[in-house]
Amino acid sequence: MQTTIFIAAHKQYQIPQDSIYAPLHVGAQGKDPIQGFTPDNTGDNISSKNPFYCELTGLYWAWKNVNADYIGLCHYRRYFSVAKHIPKTEDEKFKIVLNSDQVEKLLSKTDVILPKQRNYYIETIYNHYKHTMYIEPLDIAGQILKEKYPEYVNEFEHLKHTTKLHAFNMFIMKKDILDRYCTWLFDVLGEVEKRVDVSQYSDFHKRFFGRISERLLDVWIKTNKLDYEEVPVIDMQNINWANKIKSFLVAKFTGKRYEKSF
């Protein structure tokens, strides 16, 4: 079983030593190469769209240019881990990143690995997006589903009722499932691109294609009734949770949108 998990990165960074991981320079078009990282601007690619599509330019490259039994995507500062105790330092955290033996064991039971669901508790996935981002591109994605993929509308509407989400555009999938998912996803996002003028948004908010895809992943998984295994995600860098929660509450109760990542 050949599995490759691509690490989306835009700068040099420490990576796990397990051979299952492959560092991928996303948004490589027009940038200096990163030593030891595969650029996403070779072959069939959308690397130049990285300011809008985020890590999805790496996903597109892997989909179009890599043959493997399973393909995964994670981030240079976020990884899957089944460890019960999370250490504090980055060096120690890299020792508990999901390894090839653990991946193989999980994939013997399922065709898809997803992050453990994030729960926003006090608001739905749709309302959280509405409070923190500009809702219009997400609504347009919903309209496109009505026009082209009506079988997905019920699960899209469910975003207005659920507080849970498989976030981060992280997963490991059997290649034929990834092919079907990416064919659908990039068609929907391509239609959104035709209908939304990204110039009206700040650099931070122009990245909505990557954020929309986080919401669409569950729509696709649930509509197709796919089985999956959930695995916790660990952050290599410490998160200021007090600041993150404060911004979340300010957005919900005052309408002040996010203006940076946390």
Side-chain angles (χ1 to χ4, degrees), residues 1-4 68-73 80 103-114 170-181 217 220-221 224-231:
M1 183 175 68
Q2 182 184 2
T3 303
T4 302
D69 297 315
Y70 292 83
I71 289 178
L73 183 68
F80 293 112
V103 169
E104 186 167 351
K105 183 177 180 180
L106 286 164
L107 291 177
S108 69
K109 300 184 290 184
T110 187
D111 290 330
V112 180
I113 296 173
L114 295 177
M170 288 177 59
F171 43 75
I172 305 169
M173 292 184 185
K174 199 170 184 178
K175 182 59 163 62
D176 68 318
I177 296 176
L178 184 84
D179 288 341
R180 289 188 282 124
Y181 172 58
L217 175 60
W220 191 82
I221 290 286
N224 288 285
K225 297 179 171 55
L226 296 178
D227 292 326
Y228 55 84
E229 289 284 325
E230 289 187 341
V231 176

Side-chain angles (χ1 to χ4, degrees), residues 27-256:
Q29 185 67 30
K31 305 289 178 57
D32 292 334
I34 303 176
Q35 186 175 3
F37 286 47
T38 300
D40 72 348
N41 64 338
T42 61
D44 189 348
N45 73 88
I46 56 170
S47 181
S48 62
K49 295 184 180 182
N50 183 261
F52 319 113
Y53 277 65
C54 309
E55 65 276 353
L56 296 184
T57 63
L59 174 62
Y60 185 95
W61 182 88
W63 168 42
K64 290 292 188 177
N65 297 286
V66 176
N67 287 317
D69 297 315
Y70 292 83
I71 289 178
L73 183 68
C74 62
H75 303 266
Y76 72 96
R77 54 191 182 133
R78 287 195 188 101
Y79 294 90
F80 293 112
S81 176
V82 293
K84 294 182 179 180
H85 173 70
I86 307 300
K88 293 183 178 180
T89 68
E90 283 188 33
D91 287 342
E92 290 297 319
K93 286 179 181 178
F94 273 104
K95 295 178 182 178
I96 62 166
V97 167
L98 197 69
N99 62 42
S100 54
D101 289 339
Q102 292 166 337
V103 169
E104 186 167 351
K105 183 177 180 180
L106 286 164
L107 291 177
S108 69
K109 300 184 290 184
T110 187
D111 290 330
V112 180
I113 296 173
L114 295 177
K116 186 175 180 180
Q117 283 186 320
R118 169 173 282 189
N119 193 336
Y120 289 95
Y121 292 103
I122 62 173
E123 66 179 358
T124 67
I125 299 305
Y126 181 88
N127 283 340
H128 176 69
Y129 195 96
K130 184 176 182 179
H131 293 148
T132 58
M133 306 293 168
Y134 290 91
I135 195 62
E136 291 79 11
L138 184 61
D139 283 342
I140 288 171
Q143 181 59 39
I144 291 164
L145 293 182
K146 290 179 182 179
E147 297 169 10
K148 299 191 69 174
Y149 302 101
E151 66 272 27
Y152 290 89
V153 171
N154 284 344
E155 286 299 339
F156 183 84
E157 290 298 314
H158 187 60
L159 297 177
K160 298 177 181 178
H161 305 287
T162 183
T163 63
K164 296 180 179 180
L165 172 74
H166 292 106
F168 311 127
N169 285 321
M170 288 177 59
F171 43 75
I172 305 169
M173 292 184 185
K174 199 170 184 178
K175 182 59 163 62
D176 68 318
I177 296 176
L178 184 84
D179 288 341
R180 289 188 282 124
Y181 172 58
C182 288
T183 299
W184 174 83
L185 174 67
F186 286 104
D187 184 51
V188 173
L189 296 181
E191 287 296 324
V192 173
E193 192 173 351
K194 294 174 185 177
R195 302 185 193 190
V196 179
D197 178 9
V198 297
S199 67
Q200 65 185 298
Y201 299 116
S202 67
D203 287 347
F204 175 76
H205 285 286
K206 285 177 181 177
R207 297 160 60 187
F208 61 78
F209 294 96
R211 298 180 183 117
I212 288 175
S213 67
E214 286 187 88
R215 279 76 192 164
L216 292 182
L217 175 60
D218 277 342
V219 172
W220 191 82
I221 290 286
K222 292 176 181 177
T223 298
N224 288 285
K225 297 179 171 55
L226 296 178
D227 292 326
Y228 55 84
E229 289 284 325
E230 289 187 341
V231 176
V233 170
I234 58 169
D235 288 274
M236 295 296 110
Q237 301 171 351
N238 293 327
I239 297 175
N240 186 333
W241 282 105
N243 186 43
K244 191 176 182 73
I245 293 171
K246 178 183 176 182
S247 298
F248 167 70
L249 294 174
V250 168
K252 176 173 175 58
F253 293 110
T254 72
K256 181 177 173 58

